[in-house]
Amino acid sequence: MSVNLESLDHMVEVDECCSSDGERKSHHSDKVKNNLVSRLNRIEGQIRGIKGLIEKDTYCDDVITQISATQSAINSVARILLEGHMKTCVLEKIQEGDTEILDEVMVTIQKLMKK
């Protein structure tokens, strides 16, 4: 399942930057938090389902298909978080003249692409 970042616009509300008074912390709206928690709850259920499939000796290909779907769901959560981060924290830091934030973003993207 591929998700176009433009289609995520309705899920990401631009709030405040991720740092407040020097403390690194995200500031997602309740709507965004609820969306992410809901997605993570479904992922948690998928993981439990995969565990059950393995316990029942389900055919390997069927288990792998479920694992792939779960990985896609996790990637979707990461994309939503990354988009919000880019539109708030990163944009604000760049506007303040702090271009070192780009190094942090590149490391983060590299971590996501390893998967």
Side-chain angles (χ1 to χ4, degrees), residues 3-22:
V3 177
N4 185 338
L5 282 182
E6 284 108 33
S7 70
L8 297 176
D9 282 341
H10 66 282
M11 293 181 226
V12 177
E13 292 180 3
V14 178
D15 295 318
E16 303 172 35
C17 182
C18 293
S19 66
S20 170
D21 299 326

Side-chain angles (χ1 to χ4, degrees), residues 43-76:
I43 291 166
E44 187 177 20
Q46 287 176 296
I47 297 292
R48 283 193 305 272
I50 291 167
K51 180 181 174 189
L53 293 175
I54 290 173
E55 290 171 345
K56 294 177 197 169
D57 296 321
T58 303
Y59 184 62
C60 296
D61 191 59
D62 295 338
V63 177
I64 291 168
T65 298
Q66 291 306 310
I67 290 170
S68 177
T70 304
Q71 287 172 327
S72 179
I74 291 170
N75 288 340
S76 182

